[in-house]
Amino acid sequence: MSSLQFVTLIASVLHIGACVVVGVRLLVLARRTREVPEFLMGTSFVAAGAALFFFLVALGREPGSEAAANAVFGARAMLVVSLVTVLLLAWRVFRPDVLWARILVIGGSLVLVSYPFLDATPAEGDVVHPVYWLVRFGQIVPYAWAASEAYLYQRDLRRRQRLGLAPEGLLATQVMLWSVGLGVSGLIYLWNTLAIWTRVHQGLALPVTVVTSILGLVVAVTLWLAFFPPASWRGDEGATP
Amino acid sequence: MSVPTDLVSWVAAGLEDRTSMNLAQSRGTVRLALRQSGLDPRAVTVPEMEVVLRRVMPRELEIRAIADGDSICRDLASGLGAANVDTPAPGRTSHADSVFRRIFS
């Protein structure tokens, strides 16, 4: 195993670990509270971790083998679960009464569920159906939407805190970190989709693995800090780190 | 003129009476002040509006070259208690607040 592969593996394991630990914690919370948002968020994290795990499994199998195809199908299915739950979460928490949000959730889900059944990742020179690109770029929408909503929410929360209209505390920082994690997750899919796009259309080689690993590490760190903030932050509630 | 039934309309009507702004300009000013306070105009409560009137709105009126904004806002804030307006349903902000307080607790 080369040093690059080793670093990629470590970054992926940390990314998977953060997703699974945070996701399970939220699912345990959902079992106690019987509330939908924590169930959706927990499911999205666990499914994202499972998708990454299956992608790693696929990379370790012989390309074109049945085992690799099954792992890719599993990864794509888990990814769809994660993305659809992110859409549902953004709708339920931020825009429950808004028609366009409902349409986005229904339309987006219908587009995303086709992903596991698409052809394998196209290679250079392949003629690719436009639906493939619609689905690939569509994967970015849930993360971009949820990240934007979370960013706007924490901005408003900070404004209310300044006026004494919301309790002081770490919440705005935690939501900001979650927003960054969502945004960077979207960047990972955008980056990988652009990599496939350029390979198909221009034969360009992008440093996909290295950038993806770095972005995955950023997601892991932001998630961890959002859900397990250091004691020093807790000890000085109200101060923004 | 019809009697305002929601808080934003009530404050906007008060601003229209006391300044050179028309009702549309007054409504826009109120909504802007609420946005700058991180509040949802559809779900703002009387205590929240009072804070906005005392701490945010005077600056908004000053920007619009309206003289004596402080006193206008104080007058409106002190009259809020007697305003006969509908109590808003909990908005998306308070819903999101409760969700994230549970999730990040």
Side-chain angles (χ1 to χ4, degrees):
Chain A
M1 181 183 282
S2 70
S3 55
L4 181 62
Q5 284 173 318
F6 181 72
V7 170
T8 303
L9 181 66
I10 295 295
S12 301
V13 168
L14 289 174
H15 191 173
I16 292 168
C19 285
V20 172
V21 170
V22 170
V24 168
R25 177 187 157 155
L26 288 168
L27 289 175
V28 169
L29 176 70
R31 193 174 171 197
R32 184 158 50 83
T33 62
R34 302 275 169 202
E35 295 284 352
V36 176
E38 38 267 58
F39 172 75
L40 291 172
M41 196 188 277
T43 304
S44 78
F45 282 131
V46 171
L52 277 167
F53 174 75
F54 279 121
F55 275 125
L56 277 185
V57 170
L59 285 175
R61 298 285 182 269
E62 190 183 331
S65 67
E66 193 182 338
N70 288 339
V72 167
F73 183 86
R76 288 178 168 191
M78 286 295 106
L79 185 59
V80 169
V81 172
S82 178
L83 293 169
V84 170
T85 47
V86 169
L87 276 177
L88 288 167
L89 179 70
W91 167 56
R92 284 286 302 232
V93 174
F94 298 111
R95 309 277 171 186
D97 306 319
V98 180
L99 181 62
W100 67 257
R102 211 169 296 178
I103 293 169
L104 182 61
V105 170
I106 294 169
S109 301
L110 288 174
V111 169
L112 289 168
V113 291
S114 65
Y115 181 49
F117 307 101
L118 291 181
D119 291 341
T121 304
E124 185 176 348
D126 283 357
V127 177
V128 183
H129 197 280
V131 169
Y132 180 86
W133 298 120
L134 176 70
V135 175
R136 287 290 315 205
F137 281 103
Q139 290 170 8
I140 300 151
V141 172
Y143 287 119
W145 180 29
S148 309
E149 295 283 9
Y151 173 80
L152 293 175
Y153 169 77
Q154 66 82 33
R155 185 200 62 184
D156 285 349
L157 179 57
R158 286 183 200 279
R159 287 175 174 176
R160 287 185 289 130
Q161 285 176 335
R162 275 198 290 274
L163 292 169
L165 295 173
E168 292 289 325
L170 268 181
L171 186 60
T173 302
Q174 290 174 291
V175 177
M176 180 65 184
L177 286 165
W178 176 56
S179 164
V180 171
L182 285 166
V184 175
S185 298
L187 274 183
I188 290 175
Y189 292 108
L190 177 63
W191 178 251
N192 280 273
T193 302
L194 285 174
I196 297 168
W197 175 280
T198 54
R199 192 173 63 207
V200 168
H201 290 281
Q202 296 162 31
L204 294 177
L206 290 170
V208 181
T209 311
V210 175
V211 174
T212 302
S213 301
I214 292 168
L215 294 177
L217 270 181
V218 173
V219 173
V221 170
T222 52
L223 275 187
W224 198 263
L225 288 175
F227 288 89
F228 302 99
S232 58
W233 293 9
R234 292 263 186 220
D236 191 15
E237 290 251 334
T240 304
Chain B
M1 192 181 77
S2 61
V3 179
T5 58
D6 68 278
L7 203 45
V8 171
S9 299
W10 188 90
V11 175
L15 280 177
E16 185 193 18
D17 288 345
R18 292 166 176 80
T19 68
S20 54
M21 293 192 289
N22 62 30
L23 187 59
Q25 290 168 328
S26 300
R27 281 189 72 87
T29 304
V30 176
R31 293 178 72 87
L32 198 63
L34 290 171
R35 293 278 184 214
Q36 288 182 359
S37 309
L39 294 166
D40 181 352
R42 292 166 302 175
V44 63
T45 63
V46 168
E48 288 169 340
M49 184 63 93
E50 192 176 343
V51 172
V52 173
L53 282 170
R54 291 188 191 282
R55 296 185 54 187
V56 181
M57 190 66 85
R59 170 83 181 132
E60 288 301 316
L61 296 183
E62 189 187 334
I63 289 169
R64 287 158 184 76
I66 289 168
D68 214 10
D70 270 333
S71 134
I72 292 170
C73 290
R74 266 201 310 276
D75 188 29
L76 283 170
S78 52
L80 273 175
N84 186 20
V85 290
D86 298 335
T87 305
R92 69 183 178 95
T93 306
S94 60
H95 172 61
D97 279 354
S98 59
V99 168
F100 289 121
R101 287 197 190 289
R102 283 198 313 270
I103 283 176
F104 290 107
S105 59

